[in-house]
Amino acid sequence: MLSLPTELSLSILSYLPFETLGDLSVLCHPWRRFMKTHENTIYHQAALSHGYVSLIGPTIEEAARRYSQRSIGSVNSWKDLCLKRRRIERNWSGIGPSKITVHQGTGKNVHRIKVDEKAEYILTTSITGGLLVTDLQDDRVLWSLPDSHVRPYAHCEYGEGFVIFDYIDGSKEVWRHVPDWNDEEAAAVVSEATPTPRQLRVSRTAAERHGTESIESARGHFRPWAILRSPLTTRAFRFSYPTLGAAGWDCIFLWDVRTGTLIQTIEQIQSGEHNNGGGAQDQVAAAMTALDLLGDINYIEVSEKYVILCGSHFLRLFSRATGRFVLDICSWKHPLSMWHLSLSPHRPTREAWNGASLVSQEVVCRRVPMPESPEVVIDEFIAVHISSCGSHLAGLMLSSRLIIIHDFERALQPDVKVVDLSIEIQLGSPCLSSRYLAFENGRISVVTKTGVYIIQPDWLSLSAEGDSPPKVSIYRVPVLGDTSCLGAVSCLQVTDTGLFLNWDTDFLPTEDNDGALELMNNAFYNTLSDQRRSASVGNGFPVTLVDIDEPDLDPESSTVISIDFMPCPGSS
């Protein structure tokens, strides 16, 4: 290959695994000289081909600013950047070190969690009320709002320096990170959305308490930006900068948080067209008559092009461009995919990598025949997310089923069915409920009452035509196996280098308590043979049953913990 033109050789090398590039450097003297001479070009091109940078133009310093200090520390070459990014990927795959960190500064009553890795802080709301900002590294309290201002169990959203939480009257308060404050932009907030005297008063008190004296001392400090009031009562809200979406029973409201302007209202969301599977028979037709509404709103997702709602009966997509319904996915029609994946009840043949918190689970994949008349069993979607690239959907169902739809926009075409684009993954027992869903950086994370999972699809295999089964890697965190703690998880956040959730830290097994871990593992594998349970209700249709035999136990505390996948803490 060294006889090829240099440009061609360099192009070929950019697609090789990093481990192979390292091997070439010690293969022989000619290769060693070639790799040393062109090292910067080789690893710059490798960074592009592996997606570590998106443009060829940035310098290494500009590329490094894309990542947090926690992620890569300081880097001085393209090789350094590539190797640190590769280590993080390996750690996420359970073949490198990871550890569990307890963030004691977040308190013992955590409800919702938001993490800003670049700014290095954690935002939390509380079961008892209040909002807290703590340092990601040393647990210091940076700033807070009292429980007299932020209601108990407040939901919060965060992005690009804006934090949004719901007030007791249903309005949404928008606060902005002080170092990002811009007076001209603040002046552009419309009059009906300007901060209230109550917000300004509590802001002054917080500034006095935490010493917001300068931009330099204000990391993690916030000031009131706007107040957003819905024309009607809303249940769920979601922020995807710069748009905040909130859903009521039969309408969706969208605001631009930068100006506080209500930019769009989508009405009559309860009705829709249910024509995604084709060939509906009598039973399905009857079910559609009885279940023709979207139902109770469980979740809302917002992207640049779509608004997606999780209802009791459907996952429903609306186009932001037209405000119209474009796609329904029934939660009560089975199967939802031609491919069904589940976890094998057999323990992994490969032990966990020494120092890793993850264990790779063996996956059983089978092709499901499509019946002429789909089975009707009532289940419901509880959460949905769009991938950061905007191409894929992940929906989580109450019975711990994860539905992944790759290239979901293809389903908007009349001749393409959702079942042909999706895979269905049963994560643990179908008799135990799911709790939370996150989808970041191509990784899907799920908490159910059987465990904490990380799902990494091979997106190319999902897009392949024909009978080739999809390739999906599934990892579990064995030490987070206590059922009562799993059932109490109220938030899950995924960043570039960590997975954050709330947990009762008294139920974290210690190194000298292998017995507790073994009991949890045994309980987990015993549940994998569970069969779905259902019972008929008043309308005659079977309803999926979950948590029937589970004791209702509430952990005594709820603190933020994280599974950290940094290549090496404090690297420089």
Side-chain angles (χ1 to χ4, degrees):
M1 190 171 123
L2 289 177
S3 61
L4 296 174
T6 300
E7 292 79 7
L8 182 57
S9 297
L10 292 174
S11 178
I12 294 172
L13 292 177
S14 69
Y15 293 96
L16 296 180
F18 292 115
E19 292 80 4
T20 303
L21 294 179
D23 292 341
L24 289 175
S25 297
V26 295
L27 182 63
C28 60
H29 287 296
W31 267 111
R32 181 181 179 85
R33 286 194 299 271
F34 183 88
M35 296 296 291
K36 186 174 181 61
T37 301
H38 301 286
E39 179 179 273
N40 207 46
T41 301
I42 291 170
Y43 282 96
H44 190 179
Q45 292 183 346
L48 283 165
S49 63
H50 287 80
Y52 300 157
V53 292
S54 55
L55 299 172
I56 197 169
T59 64
I60 181 60
E61 292 78 16
E62 292 169 333
R65 285 197 287 271
R66 175 179 178 180
Y67 301 100
S68 67
Q69 182 73 16
R70 169 183 162 100
S71 168
I72 60 173
S74 60
V75 294
N76 52 29
S77 68
W78 288 104
K79 179 179 180 180
D80 191 20
L81 174 68
C82 287
L83 294 182
K84 287 181 176 178
R85 296 305 306 166
R86 177 57 181 155
R87 289 189 197 112
I88 289 177
E89 291 176 350
R90 289 173 59 85
N91 296 351
W92 273 102
S93 299
I95 52 176
S98 54
K99 66 173 185 176
I100 292 181
T101 301
V102 177
H103 301 272
Q104 298 283 9
T106 58
K108 294 188 175 183
N109 295 293
V110 171
H111 178 54
R112 293 287 194 249
I113 307 164
K114 298 295 176 183
V115 180
D116 190 324
E117 228 177 54
K118 285 189 175 181
E120 298 186 329
Y121 54 69
I122 304 173
L123 300 99
T124 55
T125 60
S126 170
I127 295 169
T128 57
L131 184 146
L132 195 64
V133 183
T134 54
D135 189 278
L136 182 58
Q137 302 301 330
D138 62 21
D139 258 359
R140 288 180 297 119
V141 174
L142 302 175
W143 187 80
S144 65
L145 290 175
D147 56 12
S148 59
H149 187 78
V150 182
R151 71 174 181 86
Y153 294 97
H155 178 66
C156 76
E157 291 287 325
Y158 177 83
E160 299 297 326
F162 291 93
V163 61
I164 305 165
F165 56 88
D166 54 332
Y167 190 59
I168 195 169
D169 64 358
S171 60
K172 312 298 186 288
E173 293 196 15
V174 182
W175 293 59
R176 191 170 189 182
H177 195 210
V178 172
D180 299 327
W181 190 271
N182 183 295
D183 287 333
E184 290 185 4
E185 293 177 0
V189 174
V190 296
S191 59
E192 60 268 26
T194 54
T196 65
R198 175 176 54 82
Q199 286 178 280
L200 298 174
R201 183 170 59 252
V202 76
S203 176
R204 288 192 295 270
T205 302
E208 292 171 0
R209 179 179 180 184
H210 297 288
T212 311
E213 299 174 353
S214 64
I215 297 297
E216 291 74 18
S217 66
R219 180 175 65 89
H221 295 209
F222 290 80
R223 289 175 59 184
W225 184 262
I227 183 84
L228 308 179
R229 298 180 178 89
S230 304
L232 297 172
T233 301
T234 58
R235 172 178 171 82
F237 64 97
R238 172 79 169 161
F239 180 46
S240 178
Y241 181 84
T243 305
L244 176 72
W249 168 254
D250 202 27
C251 56
I252 301 168
F253 303 106
L254 300 175
W255 290 269
D256 185 329
V257 299
R258 296 170 298 184
T259 62
T261 305
L262 180 61
I263 56 176
Q264 188 173 11
T265 300
I266 301 174
E267 298 179 324
Q268 298 181 338
I269 63 176
Q270 282 293 328
S271 60
E273 301 174 15
H274 322 308
N275 56 2
N276 267 327
Q281 302 298 318
D282 292 342
Q283 184 189 19
V284 176
M288 288 165 63
T289 301
L291 307 173
D292 58 350
L293 297 178
L294 175 64
D296 290 337
I297 309 298
N298 293 326
Y299 204 89
I300 178 174
E301 172 70 307
V302 179
S303 74
E304 185 177 347
K305 297 171 65 177
Y306 300 100
V307 179
I308 310 176
L309 297 180
C310 288
S312 302
H313 306 145
F314 297 96
L315 194 67
R316 181 163 293 168
L317 281 74
F318 295 86
S319 166
R320 289 186 59 181
T322 64
R324 295 176 61 86
F325 152 88
V326 293
L327 182 66
D328 257 355
I329 302 170
C330 302
S331 62
W332 42 264
K333 183 189 292 186
H334 302 274
L336 291 173
S337 169
M338 68 171 63
W339 293 106
H340 183 277
L341 285 70
S342 60
L343 305 180
S344 169
H346 303 294
R347 300 200 178 207
T349 55
R350 181 179 67 82
E351 293 297 325
W353 192 89
N354 186 29
S357 301
L358 306 182
V359 169
S360 177
Q361 297 292 149
E362 183 180 341
V363 178
V364 178
C365 179
R366 62 183 178 89
R367 187 173 181 128
V368 180
M370 292 292 109
E372 291 185 6
S373 178
E375 180 185 8
V376 175
V377 180
I378 298 175
D379 201 341
E380 61 182 287
F381 285 99
I382 67 166
V384 63
H385 286 300
I386 295 181
S387 62
S388 55
C389 67
S391 299
H392 315 300
L393 277 183
L396 183 62
M397 304 191 79
L398 183 61
S399 58
S400 298
R401 287 189 295 155
L402 176 68
I403 311 299
I404 302 174
I405 308 172
H406 62 91
D407 299 328
F408 72 90
E409 287 183 305
R410 291 175 57 197
L412 306 185
Q413 304 170 18
D415 58 338
V416 179
K417 300 177 182 179
V418 171
V419 293
D420 297 329
L421 303 176
S422 62
I423 62 171
E424 178 180 328
I425 306 174
Q426 182 65 54
L427 292 169
S429 170
C431 302
L432 296 175
S433 62
S434 52
R435 299 299 302 166
Y436 223 88
L437 170 71
F439 192 178
E440 295 289 344
N441 303 313
R443 303 182 188 95
I444 302 168
S445 298
V446 173
V447 177
T448 77
K449 274 196 171 182
T450 62
V452 178
Y453 302 95
I454 297 170
I455 301 95
Q456 298 194 37
D458 181 332
W459 296 105
L460 289 177
S461 75
L462 267 61
S463 301
E465 302 288 343
D467 296 330
S468 300
K471 298 177 182 178
V472 179
S473 299
I474 301 177
Y475 308 93
R476 183 174 64 92
V477 187
V479 296
L480 302 182
D482 183 87
T483 303
S484 62
C485 290
L486 289 166
V489 169
S490 59
C491 199
L492 173 70
Q493 289 288 296
V494 177
T495 67
D496 182 35
T497 67
L499 185 151
F500 296 76
L501 67 159
N502 58 303
W503 198 262
D504 186 340
T505 54
D506 290 338
F507 288 84
L508 284 175
T510 57
E511 292 182 0
D512 57 353
N513 191 5
D514 291 337
L517 182 58
E518 184 64 20
L519 286 174
M520 289 190 295
N521 268 327
N522 290 339
F524 167 75
Y525 285 104
N526 288 339
T527 67
L528 295 184
S529 58
D530 290 349
Q531 299 299 309
R532 184 180 66 192
R533 301 178 185 178
S534 62
S536 295
V537 293
N539 60 12
F541 302 114
V543 175
T544 300
L545 301 178
V546 295
D547 302 338
I548 297 299
D549 300 323
E550 287 299 300
D552 189 14
L553 299 176
D554 292 325
E556 295 183 359
S557 67
S558 174
T559 301
V560 175
I561 66 170
S562 61
I563 306 167
D564 298 326
F565 301 98
M566 295 93 73
C568 45
S571 61
S572 60

